[in-house]
Amino acid sequence: MVVVLMVAEKPSLARSLAEILSKKQCRRRKSDCSACDVYEFEGIFPPGGGGVRVTFKMTSVCGHVMSLDFQPQYNKWEQIDPVDLFDAETMKKESMPNLRIPHFLRNEGKGVDYLVLWLDCDKEGENICFEVMEEVEPVMRHQRIPSTQAVYRARFSSITESAILKAFGALGLPDWNESRSVDARMELDLRIGCAFTRFQTMTFQTKYAGLNSSVISYGPCQTPTLGFCVQRHDEILQFKSEKYWKLAAKISRGGRGGPVVSLDWGREGLFDKEVTLLFLARVQDCREAVVVGVAEKPRSKAPPIALHTVELLRAASSKLHIGPKLAMDYAERLYTEGYISYPRTETTKYPKDFDFRSILSSLSGHPEFGEHASSILRTSIKPPSGGVDVGDHPPITPMRSASRDQLRDSEWKIYDFVARHFLATLMPECKYKLTEVEISIGSEVFHWSGTTPTSPGFTAVYPWQEVHGMETSVEWNKDQHWNVDQMKLSEHETTPPGYLTESELITLMEKHRIGTDASIPVHIENICSRNYVHVDSERRLVPTKLGVVLVHGYQKIDPQLVQPTMRSAVEEQLNLIAKGKADFDSVLQHTLNIFRAKFEFFRSHIEELDELFEASFSSVAETGRPLSRCGKCQRYLKFIAARPQRMYCAHCNQTYSLPQGGSIKLYKEIKCPLDDFELLVFSSPTKSYLVCPYCYNQPPFKGVAKGMGCNQCPHQSCPHAMPQGRVDQCSECERGTLVLEPYIKTGGPAPKWKISCNGPKCRVMYEGFAGSSDVHSSKERCEGCGSSLLTADLSRVSVENSGGSKVTGCWECDDVISNLVVPATPDYKRGTGRRGRKRGRGRGVIKKF
Amino acid sequence: QQSVCDWLEARKGVKVQQNWVEACLEWIEQEEGGGVPMASLREMVYGQLLHADLRDVVVQPCIPASVPQQQTTTITGHFIVQVDSLVDVGAAAYAQLQKIKGQSLDDVDTKKNFEPKPTRLLLLSLTDGVTDFQAMEYHPIPQLTTDLTPGAKLVLRGTIGCRLGTLLLSGDQVELLGGGVESLAGINRQSRVLARALNDESLAGEGGTTESGPPPTTGSSSAGPPARSTGNEQLQEDN
């Protein structure tokens, strides 16, 4: 049987595609990748004429298979000069080592005859195509007829039956140039970003406290993005507010109950009070206002053009209050479930043969906007005339009807917007009447204007652009006389612009071509997560002190680093690679040379940025509180609580990193036998362990990674090291060891002892021995299971069958002790990890004292 | 000399100091040599007048000195005055200053209008050489702009309303003669006038830019095509 392997970009997409292609007749099976299932079904391949019966295997990857990194020797920050990163050797490594995607692909690809690539149709997707081919091609069965095509690319923009079947019927080839442009971008971003980021971080992180960011990153997109926010911040700070004055008039007609309206002064406002008063004096005594002219102008608002990604992101932020990153996530989910078309596109013009009717008919039964869809169907469909077809994907449109309760709240909001926008593009313009009235009071001219909607058009379905009419209707006629009820001076003040809204930022990024529709949300997310800006309640981006200092520093040293022009030039070059019009290596080398020179200049002028840091942040040496003794100078190390928390020795001028995300306390003034540093105890909700600040940064033993706590230390005699605290192998992670946690007196009721895995990411934890004053593990192993025997002092605990004050036994096999220990990690299900089957096989030893 | 003085008074309506005219003529003689025809001589003196500070030249005020004290009055006639400075009070000084410095805030087209729509209203500080007045653009005076050289001379003619010491001018009452006063050029430069309105002289941005050195871009601009690109020609074509 001929086998065809098909690969989609995400697991949910594989399912949708398999269901469509098999007409819901596919079998699902697990694979050796925990995230990706395989859907199998029979069919004809190649589709169209001349195909044979084959077995299809549809599966997916999870985004990029590989990512680019430096060779491991370059990842030691302290030992590598950042400038070397511009030409350091790189390597591809698995993006998600846990999922073992390459292994999985080779496994599933073994012996298949054809490979069909269903990755998303954008540059990233094209790049992933080649990543998949890299794994699958070598293990495929050799073609029986040489030089026949074995690898195909499907191109599609939405997950509907017709679109998918159409794509399947017109399979092509993956585009090498597009893929290469992604390779180039990745390499540039890696080299440039890492060089600057490492240098900045190493320069400032150890020197200043309160930066509140663990990495001081630079990114060719991220930094100009931040630059926009800081530029607005500077404009706001520099802004000089000025007072201005207006004549405020109120006129009425017909006595009591007649209309009263406020008028706008023809001279708007004046920035000189004396002059305004002079005008006031001229008209103050006028009691009568005369209508000089009434103009009624028909106005209209055009319906929106078709929706592209950037507009969706803008609208999500400004109209729906959903940030760009989340908006994109929701849109992607809607896409994979077939509700909307592919949400990454720059095209704002519907293709010529676009099938409006089928979408409209599917929406026509919708409880909220169905009637609009039906009424469009009843007329001839007129697609909007504006917009551009960039040639990537059709604009974002709904693909099928979804009701409010079918979707999660936020997804519904996005869907609702996409659907309404789509309908709006096909509806007539909104018409209204603008009434402008000119009124003279004495020698001065005043204005009044108001709108009256005449035909709502598309705004019936698109409430965000609704034209509001006047609250009260007023009849205006030329030469009409009104009474002046009030004439006074009103005082006003100019105000600075607000901070950039996300929506404005997206506009600026698009205008200056910072990032792509796909990466814009990521860059905004980055400057937030690096603590350079925060998003306020109106979704405005307010830079932090750190963000401001950085941008001002770049502006001082090399403004181009933060200017948007630099990046757009690079993006242009990358596009040339994608179109096959420029050479990969020369673009890369050219750009790297520029940035290497910039880096070196930046580094030699870093004191200009340092001055700014100095003025804004307190230095590490001035903050922090003495906590534990330094093993080198025996003076107190200071604990810097500001993120990232760390220890600092003012005498040695040395900073020591600490584990993050938990509290740090001194542990009984006990010193590490290796280096004399006093031990600290780190405790977070999931684990606590001892840390020697020196060993944590400089692993004392070979084969131990940086970031070692005492629970990983292989020291053979230190009572706090792992061998002495060992309880058992961890049953959940491969190399983890369960270690007795240090006991910290909390003053709570009954002290509990904990046993947790020393694997940095493993969350396995047990607790027990409540009330026991001492628990320790011994060198003796349980004969039955190999766990270390535990000795617990139970003198103050009443336990059945304990038989004495101290009990020794295996925590698994001994009935008394095992009953005292229960799993403690909240998300860790009881029973799955305990090797219960071993229970009772061989009895532990109970020693009586 | 006397004939030049008379001519200025009769034709231009300025009564000037005799010794100023004398000095003027002496200077012209030095520059041009003798034998300049009377007509050109007059014009040359008049040209000097436009570039002089009226305060140093005029002996008799042309505008009644009582004007500043009166609530409402009108003056009628033909008056040569000097514009010491002028400012548009119809727009925020900060915005005007930004525009002059080329740092217009309007980079983002999405920005809302936070200021009243600028409806120009010029406020002028005038002198007739003896008395200082204020005047305003009551009706548009298109011949005046904020770029006017400080010290430029105007002719005001017709019947001009005055209120609280301010002349209310309209376009048909104003003729721009030109000229300027060197000593006013610096202190009443538009940027400084606006900065004074904001109570912050430093905003005027004195002096030229004294940048230390350009940033280190090899090939000055990143936008250039790769130096040794094999597809260089194609690249340029595509651009």
Side-chain angles (χ1 to χ4, degrees):
Chain A
M1 190 76 161
V2 175
V3 181
V4 180
L5 177 67
M6 307 208 272
V7 183
E9 193 155 323
K10 294 209 173 77
S12 55
L13 211 55
R15 199 187 73 198
S16 304
L17 290 170
E19 281 177 359
I20 291 170
L21 291 171
S22 70
K23 305 204 162 36
K24 300 216 168 163
Q25 300 298 310
C26 53
R27 301 173 298 279
R28 169 178 165 172
R29 68 164 165 85
K30 293 258 169 226
S31 72
D32 57 357
C33 168
S34 57
C36 308
D37 293 334
V38 179
Y39 301 86
E40 291 181 331
F41 54 97
E42 275 74 48
I44 305 292
F45 189 85
V52 293
R53 218 169 157 71
V54 299
T55 300
F56 288 107
K57 294 203 289 185
M58 169 65 81
T59 186
S60 72
V61 289
C62 294
H64 272 287
V65 179
M66 305 301 261
S67 57
L68 192 70
D69 199 358
F70 294 110
Q71 294 278 359
Q73 67 266 29
Y74 291 102
N75 286 336
K76 296 187 176 122
W77 286 35
E78 296 81 5
Q79 293 162 23
I80 297 295
D81 183 342
V83 78
D84 293 344
L85 298 177
F86 282 100
D87 34 33
E89 250 180 285
T90 56
M91 56 182 262
K92 290 263 185 184
K93 63 173 196 188
E94 290 187 36
S95 295
M96 289 153 295
N98 291 341
L99 292 179
R100 306 213 300 156
I101 298 277
H103 168 83
F104 154 72
L105 285 173
R106 281 194 299 273
N107 229 353
E108 292 297 336
K110 198 173 270 170
V112 302
D113 300 86
Y114 296 99
L115 172 64
V116 182
L117 299 157
W118 286 91
L119 293 131
D120 288 359
C121 295
D122 52 21
K123 284 184 192 138
E124 298 296 326
E126 224 57 40
N127 191 255
I128 305 173
C129 280
F130 286 89
E131 292 177 350
V132 172
M133 285 157 64
E134 181 87 21
E135 304 301 334
V136 175
E137 270 189 319
V139 297
M140 284 170 76
R141 193 194 307 201
H142 289 293
Q143 286 295 302
R144 273 160 284 198
I145 310 159
S147 83
T148 18
Q149 191 179 346
V151 178
Y152 294 90
R153 170 79 163 121
R155 295 189 193 279
F156 56 102
S157 305
S158 61
I159 316 297
T160 56
E161 195 171 332
S162 58
I164 294 306
L165 292 178
K166 196 173 155 195
F168 192 50
L171 295 174
L173 285 169
D175 187 329
W176 170 244
N177 287 326
E178 287 211 340
S179 167
R180 286 303 267 170
S181 80
V182 173
D183 285 336
R185 183 189 49 72
M186 282 185 184
E187 188 169 339
L188 288 176
D189 287 356
L190 176 75
R191 293 185 188 280
I192 298 167
C194 286
F196 277 92
T197 301
R198 284 194 196 179
F199 171 62
Q200 290 180 168
T201 307
M202 289 193 291
T203 309
F204 299 114
Q205 192 60 268
T206 54
K207 210 165 162 185
Y208 297 101
L211 302 180
N212 213 0
S213 180
S214 49
V215 179
I216 303 173
S217 59
Y218 174 87
C221 286
Q222 171 193 123
T223 303
T225 306
L226 173 62
F228 292 129
C229 302
V230 174
Q231 190 193 344
R232 181 59 71 86
H233 168 84
D234 291 342
E235 286 170 4
I236 293 169
L237 287 196
Q238 285 158 12
F239 190 85
K240 290 269 175 183
S241 188
E242 291 164 73
K243 281 190 174 143
Y244 62 95
W245 292 266
K246 286 180 174 184
L247 295 191
K250 242 185 212 164
I251 59 174
S252 70
R253 218 161 78 84
R256 243 170 210 284
V260 180
V261 292
S262 301
L263 303 179
D264 298 321
W265 187 24
R267 296 189 192 264
E268 302 281 344
L270 294 179
F271 289 79
D272 187 305
K273 193 176 182 181
E274 295 305 313
V275 173
T276 323
L277 279 171
L278 190 147
F279 282 108
L280 180 64
R282 304 211 74 179
V283 294
Q284 198 149 39
D285 301 328
C286 297
R287 285 282 145 257
E288 198 174 55
V290 183
V291 177
V292 188
V294 182
E296 285 196 346
K297 297 169 185 166
R299 287 287 152 92
S300 65
K301 243 189 222 186
I305 55 171
L307 185 63
H308 70 324
T309 309
V310 169
E311 186 53 38
L312 173 67
L313 296 179
R314 265 198 294 258
S317 175
S318 65
K319 297 179 176 132
L320 314 175
H321 232 72
I322 298 173
K325 175 76 175 26
L326 278 178
M328 217 52 223
D329 290 349
Y330 297 142
E332 250 163 43
R333 223 175 291 159
L334 289 167
Y335 162 67
T336 50
E337 284 162 24
Y339 289 112
I340 63 170
S341 64
Y342 191 61
R344 294 179 196 280
T345 178
E346 292 174 35
T347 292
T348 50
K349 193 179 180 65
Y350 297 113
K352 260 202 180 114
D353 56 342
F354 195 77
D355 188 2
F356 295 102
R357 290 205 165 262
S358 70
I359 300 175
L360 288 167
S361 345
S362 71
L363 293 181
S364 61
H366 195 277
E368 292 181 46
F369 33 73
E371 57 174 292
H372 297 290
S374 331
S375 70
I376 298 170
L377 273 174
R378 280 195 296 273
T379 60
S380 66
I381 293 166
K382 279 187 230 96
S385 51
V388 276
D389 190 343
V390 183
D392 47 356
H393 292 268
I396 309 167
T397 61
M399 295 312 294
R400 59 183 166 108
S401 180
S403 63
R404 194 181 280 267
D405 48 345
Q406 243 171 303
L407 299 172
R408 263 163 286 191
D409 189 45
S410 307
E411 282 171 31
W412 162 257
K413 282 186 187 160
I414 298 283
Y415 175 81
D416 180 63
F417 175 77
V418 171
R420 287 176 183 275
H421 189 103
F422 169 72
L423 293 172
T425 58
L426 301 176
M427 288 168 72
E429 57 186 15
C430 159
K431 291 186 180 137
Y432 60 98
K433 195 173 67 183
L434 179 66
T435 311
E436 286 177 332
V437 183
E438 203 177 299
I439 299 133
S440 80
I441 300 175
S443 53
E444 287 302 294
V445 172
F446 290 79
H447 296 292
W448 182 92
S449 68
T451 50
T452 324
T454 46
S455 138
F458 73 96
T459 59
V461 75
Y462 206 66
W464 303 282
Q465 287 201 24
E466 206 178 329
V467 173
H468 296 280
M470 301 160 275
E471 286 160 25
T472 50
S473 66
V474 184
E475 197 157 318
W476 295 97
N477 287 308
K478 198 167 183 296
D479 300 326
Q480 219 173 26
H481 285 239
W482 290 64
N483 301 319
V484 179
D485 289 357
Q486 192 188 65
M487 177 64 78
K488 61 169 192 181
L489 202 69
S490 63
E491 187 176 285
H492 308 264
E493 210 171 354
T494 58
T495 54
Y499 281 99
L500 272 187
T501 62
E502 254 170 1
S503 164
E504 288 167 337
L505 178 61
I506 293 168
T507 305
L508 280 172
M509 290 174 78
E510 192 194 21
K511 185 171 151 198
H512 294 279
R513 311 193 43 192
I514 300 300
T516 61
D517 51 344
S519 65
I520 281 175
V522 181
H523 300 314
I524 298 181
E525 174 77 7
N526 276 344
I527 59 169
C528 294
S529 68
R530 297 291 188 216
N531 186 39
Y532 296 155
V533 298
H534 71 265
V535 183
D536 75 2
S537 58
E538 291 174 61
R539 298 216 73 83
R540 289 179 186 275
L541 300 161
V542 184
T544 62
K545 201 160 66 169
L546 178 59
V548 172
V549 162
L550 271 179
V551 170
H552 286 177
Y554 297 133
Q555 280 165 348
K556 255 170 99 177
I557 300 172
D558 181 356
Q560 280 194 336
L561 288 176
V562 69
Q563 276 165 3
T565 42
M566 197 77 197
R567 182 59 182 186
S568 36
V570 173
E571 297 266 355
E572 233 162 72
Q573 306 258 309
L574 291 176
N575 276 337
L576 290 180
I577 298 181
K579 287 179 189 154
K581 289 181 179 158
D583 177 58
F584 176 85
D585 290 312
S586 48
V587 167
L588 206 64
Q589 268 321 310
H590 173 74
T591 311
L592 284 177
N593 285 341
I594 290 172
F595 274 96
R596 184 188 290 112
K598 286 193 166 297
F599 175 80
E600 276 168 350
F601 184 87
F602 180 69
R603 180 155 72 173
S604 61
H605 290 74
I606 194 64
E607 72 283 353
E608 296 180 37
L609 179 53
D610 195 34
E611 283 166 17
L612 297 179
F613 267 94
E614 213 170 347
S616 301
F617 296 99
S618 49
S619 75
V620 164
E622 292 159 8
T623 56
R625 61 182 166 85
L627 182 66
S628 69
R629 281 184 191 275
C630 170
K632 286 183 181 166
C633 64
Q634 296 307 318
R635 289 178 171 85
Y636 270 100
L637 293 171
K638 279 177 168 180
F639 172 65
I640 316 284
R643 201 161 64 109
Q645 58 185 1
R646 64 210 123 130
M647 303 297 291
Y648 174 70
C649 180
H651 187 253
C652 312
N653 190 23
Q654 191 74 42
T655 309
Y656 301 98
S657 316
L658 289 173
Q660 304 294 313
S663 72
I664 295 285
K665 289 199 179 79
L666 184 64
Y667 185 67
K668 298 179 180 170
E669 297 182 22
I670 291 168
K671 289 179 174 174
C672 171
L674 294 168
D675 49 46
D676 250 10
F677 275 69
E678 281 180 341
L679 298 184
L680 304 171
V681 57
F682 167 80
S683 41
S684 76
T686 51
K687 58 181 65 180
S688 57
Y689 52 86
L690 294 177
V691 175
C692 162
Y694 190 79
C695 295
Y696 187 81
N697 290 276
Q698 306 286 337
F701 299 104
K702 269 190 182 165
V704 181
K706 200 179 153 180
M708 178 195 86
C710 296
N711 63 351
Q712 291 168 304
C713 175
H715 196 282
Q716 288 300 318
S717 61
C718 171
H720 306 287
M722 184 263 289
Q724 284 62 251
R726 176 191 182 275
V727 177
D728 202 350
Q729 288 303 115
C730 178
S731 56
E732 283 295 292
C733 62
E734 279 173 23
R735 265 165 286 167
T737 303
L738 297 176
V739 182
L740 209 59
E741 282 193 1
Y743 172 63
I744 317 147
K745 213 172 195 171
T746 51
K752 275 183 185 168
W753 293 78
K754 287 179 181 167
I755 296 168
S756 66
C757 176
N758 69 354
K761 283 176 188 156
C762 185
R763 286 163 63 86
V764 170
M765 186 196 263
Y766 298 92
E767 62 179 19
F769 303 108
S772 175
S773 57
D774 180 39
V775 177
H776 59 263
S777 91
S778 70
K779 293 251 173 196
E780 271 180 80
R781 299 290 176 95
C782 169
E783 296 157 16
C785 64
S787 313
S788 304
L789 299 184
L790 296 181
T791 302
D793 185 342
L794 301 175
S795 52
R796 284 184 226 149
V797 193
S798 70
V799 182
E800 273 179 59
N801 301 331
S802 71
S805 59
K806 278 197 178 179
V807 175
T808 300
C810 171
W811 75 303
E812 288 274 11
C813 311
D814 183 275
D815 288 339
V816 178
I817 290 192
S818 63
N819 280 332
L820 293 172
V821 183
V822 290
T825 324
D827 55 358
Y828 181 62
K829 281 186 219 119
R830 182 171 188 153
T832 53
R834 292 289 295 268
R835 289 164 295 181
R837 59 187 164 80
K838 277 180 15 189
R839 281 192 144 214
R841 260 172 54 189
R843 254 184 88 70
V845 194
I846 295 188
K847 285 179 185 164
K848 293 187 181 176
F849 296 91
Chain B
Q1 295 95 329
Q2 190 56 51
S3 69
V4 174
C5 280
D6 293 344
W7 178 78
L8 281 175
E9 193 174 348
R11 301 295 297 275
K12 303 288 178 187
V14 214
K15 187 151 188 183
V16 297
Q17 293 169 15
Q18 289 251 357
N19 39 2
W20 178 78
V21 176
E22 252 165 56
C24 226
L25 291 172
E26 244 167 60
W27 180 82
I28 292 168
E29 210 173 293
Q30 267 175 25
E31 292 286 303
E32 305 284 329
V36 184
M38 192 57 183
S40 334
L41 212 56
R42 284 173 185 160
E43 291 302 330
M44 283 164 122
V45 173
Y46 174 63
Q48 287 302 307
L49 180 69
L50 294 183
H51 286 90
D53 189 339
L54 287 188
R55 290 180 185 83
D56 303 336
V57 179
V58 161
V59 277
Q60 200 181 320
C62 60
I63 297 178
S66 61
V67 165
Q69 280 87 51
Q70 276 169 305
Q71 269 280 332
T72 17
T73 182
T74 52
I75 52 171
T76 309
H78 172 102
F79 315 99
I80 286 200
V81 292
Q82 170 175 312
V83 183
D84 284 345
S85 72
L86 80 176
V87 65
D88 177 9
V89 295
Y94 184 73
Q96 294 186 59
L97 199 55
Q98 293 290 313
K99 211 169 159 192
I100 290 175
K101 291 202 275 185
Q103 309 172 337
S104 174
L105 287 173
D106 296 331
D107 186 36
V108 190
D109 30 17
T110 50
K111 204 178 299 187
K112 306 271 170 354
N113 212 347
F114 291 91
E115 285 155 17
K117 226 188 281 164
T119 48
R120 193 181 79 162
L121 194 138
L122 294 175
L123 199 59
L124 298 85
S125 301
L126 302 177
T127 182
D128 64 358
V130 179
T131 320
D132 292 352
F133 302 92
Q134 187 170 267
M136 62 180 243
E137 186 182 22
Y138 188 63
H139 292 296
I141 311 171
Q143 53 273 49
L144 296 185
T145 67
T146 48
D147 313 331
L148 191 75
T149 314
K153 312 295 183 290
L154 307 177
V155 175
L156 309 180
R157 61 165 69 87
T159 301
I160 296 163
C162 313
R163 215 179 156 101
L164 304 165
T166 300
L167 309 184
L168 310 181
L169 301 176
S170 51
D172 54 2
Q173 294 167 328
V174 176
E175 185 194 336
L176 176 61
L177 302 176
V181 176
E182 220 179 319
S183 62
L184 296 176
I187 56 167
N188 285 344
R189 188 149 49 85
Q190 189 59 209
S191 58
R192 290 185 66 167
V193 171
L194 292 167
R196 273 202 294 276
L198 293 167
N199 287 322
D200 188 351
E201 287 266 10
S202 67
L203 287 172
E206 291 300 299
T209 45
T210 48
E211 295 298 308
S212 49
T217 29
T218 54
S220 79
S221 159
S222 61
R228 49 183 186 82
S229 159
T230 47
N232 216 341
E233 294 78 13
Q234 281 170 316
L235 246 167
Q236 304 228 315
E237 250 174 54
D238 196 69
N239 287 339

